[in-house]
Amino acid sequence: MSETLSSPLSPAAGDGPAASAPLTLSMQGALNRALGEVLEDNPKALIFGEDVGRLGGVFRITDGLQARFGAERVFDTPLAESGILGMSVGLAMAGFHPIPEVQFDGFAYPAVNQIVSQIGRMNYRSRGALPMPVTLRVPSFGGIRAPELHGESLESLFVHVPGLKVVSPADPHQAYHLLRLAGSMPDPVIFMEPKARYWQKGPVDPADAGALEGARIARPGRHLTLIAWGAMVARCLQVAELAAEDGIEVEVLDLRWLSPIDADGLAESASRTRRAVVVHEAPRSSGLGAEIAALVTERCFNTLKAPVERVTGFDVPYPSGDLEDEYIPNIDRILFGIQRVLEHRRG
Amino acid sequence: MAELSFPLPDLGEGLIEATILEWLVAEGDQVERNQPLVEVETTKSAVELPSPQAGTVVKVHGEAGSVIAVGDPLIVFEVPDDTAGIVGTVPAEKAPARRVRLSAVLDDD
């Protein structure tokens, strides 16, 4: 691999006239566009993983990138996640910006050693001499009727590792801009793509990212804050619409960055609405919802009208596709959670 | 839309070809994943091949009696861009349905 890899495209080729107007893209298309631009901007950026090259990825996220940038910059690896992430460590030490893909959430387990023991702490261990600009894309969460180990929610595992950033986009616009940002960061970022939202189209404005730090108010409301990330944001927006029919104005907070977590943003919203419900697909016990409940309680204890409610998956292995609708928080379970908070009376 | 070609898979250890007995789908048909596409006969057995994915059949290669070598094109599909990957299905976008209604007396204290 040459030290002077260059893009086959001229720097201006990626933008074109569409850059000034919002596009309508699926999250797949938004991520694909972002990856192409990251490779154009940074000749040291490399994409690799299982089937990401010639096939273009099992979800088509890297479609066409090998043809555009060549097999030296976009390439297939053996089926060995420990090798994919181990190679990322070496490439990052040598000055590259690896953008590996782990094909499915559950396939990250064999690479936990490389992620936790090396990527998360190399910068700290070397006192800043060896930063790890690794952008690890992981198609994550459930909802597509996939078999075992294809529907896991790994955020609690990763947010507990110092040195890693963890982010999950909720819609195509967020996906495009957060991946462009993650792909330019000097830190390791675990980029959790909500695979259940890959195909839904939405507006993407490449020219106007909006603020990308911290949480984002996806829908304002004054009676209760519904906190979610990834695929659960779209469901919470549906719930907010239904709650409005009942006269309850729900604010939906899209957390986006799971690490570092936006404690100020959580507290700001919860202190205004005085009620909070957190929704996630991961099992309940020691899920990220527990951390969020603790943060909101620490900062808003005297303002809250009720304990922070958690609507989550169950403490079981993620079930087979036939049962996942019973596992993932659905509209009624979220509404029940809201009702419990609304009914709470301080005794 | 994208076109995907499905070659005749290896139907058993050491087999190099198969004879088409009967096509169960025709060009223009919309097929679902796992729907039987074609019955073929090898030196070991006659088997129905299930479709590897959903899509519209744009071309079938060979007719009853034709011999197809393992790895040669068997059928070509046209698939929409929102086709699922190799694993899983595209979630259906349903209108949100509910059974739970909220009721609350919202004091503003």
Side-chain angles (χ1 to χ4, degrees):
Chain A
M1 210 169 295
S2 159
E3 281 287 310
T4 53
L5 296 171
S6 63
S7 165
L9 297 177
S10 64
D15 294 318
S20 58
L23 312 164
T24 300
L25 295 174
S26 64
M27 189 181 286
Q28 290 172 315
L31 293 167
N32 180 265
R33 185 183 172 96
L35 286 173
E37 291 172 8
V38 168
L39 289 193
E40 277 172 25
D41 290 350
N42 181 1
K44 293 285 193 179
L46 307 173
I47 291 174
F48 48 92
E50 295 161 11
D51 301 322
V52 302
R54 199 172 61 149
L55 180 72
V58 291
F59 291 111
R60 324 299 311 158
I61 308 302
T62 54
D63 194 24
L65 296 179
Q66 188 179 69
R68 263 172 80 189
F69 296 99
E72 282 203 330
R73 297 191 63 197
V74 181
F75 53 93
D76 293 316
T77 64
L79 304 188
E81 286 76 12
S82 55
I84 295 169
L85 274 299
M87 184 164 69
S88 300
V89 176
L91 284 167
M93 290 168 83
F96 288 91
H97 187 126
I99 309 176
E101 176 185 289
V102 163
Q103 199 167 66
F104 283 91
D105 36 66
F107 303 179
Y109 296 129
V112 164
N113 179 39
Q114 283 70 26
I115 297 169
V116 175
S117 320
Q118 311 297 340
I119 293 175
R121 65 181 68 201
M122 190 65 78
N123 192 46
Y124 175 89
R125 180 188 285 150
S126 68
R127 292 199 267 178
L130 294 170
M132 287 280 115
V134 177
T135 308
L136 170 57
R137 294 181 39 252
V138 188
S140 293
F141 315 117
I144 67 160
R145 301 276 186 273
E148 192 185 12
L149 294 170
H150 293 67
E152 314 271 298
S153 297
L154 300 182
E155 62 270 28
S156 286
L157 200 61
F158 291 133
V159 301
H160 204 61
V161 179
L164 300 178
K165 288 186 162 70
V166 183
V167 66
S168 186
D171 62 36
H173 182 81
Q174 298 297 319
Y176 170 79
H177 286 290
L178 288 171
L179 185 53
R180 288 219 52 181
L181 177 61
S184 68
M185 280 183 157
D187 305 310
V189 180
I190 313 291
F191 195 89
M192 301 179 69
E193 298 170 2
K195 63 175 88 81
R197 304 299 303 172
Y198 269 152
W199 297 274
Q200 282 77 28
K201 292 191 165 80
V204 175
D205 189 343
D208 184 10
L212 293 174
E213 301 81 28
R216 160 185 87 99
I217 295 173
R219 174 188 172 115
R222 63 193 174 103
H223 293 140
L224 181 142
T225 300
L226 206 44
I227 302 151
W229 53 91
M232 287 296 99
V233 173
R235 186 153 299 173
C236 287
L237 287 168
Q238 291 180 326
V239 167
E241 195 67 36
L242 296 170
E245 295 173 2
D246 302 336
I248 308 298
E249 294 175 28
V250 169
E251 177 152 305
V252 178
L253 195 70
D254 171 10
L255 196 57
R256 300 196 294 190
W257 293 92
L258 312 183
S259 183
I261 201 165
D262 184 3
D264 290 343
L266 286 167
E268 189 281 322
S269 178
S271 61
R272 262 191 297 107
T273 64
R274 307 183 68 180
R275 300 175 181 92
V277 175
V278 56
V279 180
H280 61 65
E281 296 180 37
R284 179 183 178 87
S285 297
S286 295
L288 192 54
E291 176 70 19
I292 289 166
L295 283 169
V296 171
T297 306
E298 281 165 9
R299 288 165 180 249
C300 312
F301 182 71
N302 290 321
T303 336
L304 288 177
K305 285 177 167 288
V308 178
E309 181 76 23
R310 288 178 283 162
V311 181
T312 69
F314 301 106
D315 289 350
V316 297
Y318 190 83
S320 73
D322 291 347
L323 288 172
E324 70 183 351
D325 287 347
E326 311 302 320
Y327 175 90
I328 299 176
N330 61 24
I331 285 172
D332 281 329
R333 277 169 61 197
I334 299 169
L335 285 168
F336 262 126
I338 292 173
Q339 181 64 32
R340 275 195 292 273
V341 169
L342 292 173
E343 282 175 1
H344 183 84
R345 290 292 174 266
R346 283 173 180 273
Chain B
M1 295 292 240
E3 282 199 357
L4 281 177
S5 179
F6 177 55
L8 180 70
D10 183 356
L11 298 168
E13 200 173 334
L15 296 176
I16 57 166
E17 61 184 23
T19 306
I20 293 173
L21 294 179
E22 184 186 7
W23 275 104
L24 306 173
V25 297
E27 290 172 7
D29 283 2
Q30 173 68 34
V31 299
E32 299 303 322
R33 186 156 61 162
N34 292 329
Q35 179 179 333
L37 294 175
V38 62
E39 190 178 12
V40 299
E41 184 172 44
T42 69
T43 51
K44 287 186 177 172
S45 62
V47 290
E48 283 184 357
L49 298 185
S51 180
Q53 64 175 81
T56 306
V57 179
V58 294
K59 178 149 185 64
V60 300
H61 290 274
E63 53 198 29
S66 302
V67 177
I68 307 267
V70 169
D72 277 0
L74 181 67
I75 188 167
V76 180
F77 303 100
E78 190 174 62
V79 296
D81 292 334
D82 63 350
T83 296
I86 292 159
V87 174
T89 59
V90 177
E93 281 288 278
K94 297 174 289 195
R98 69 184 317 187
R99 287 178 295 168
V100 177
R101 294 238 157 231
L102 301 175
S103 59
V105 180
L106 292 164
D107 44 14
D108 287 318
D109 61 341

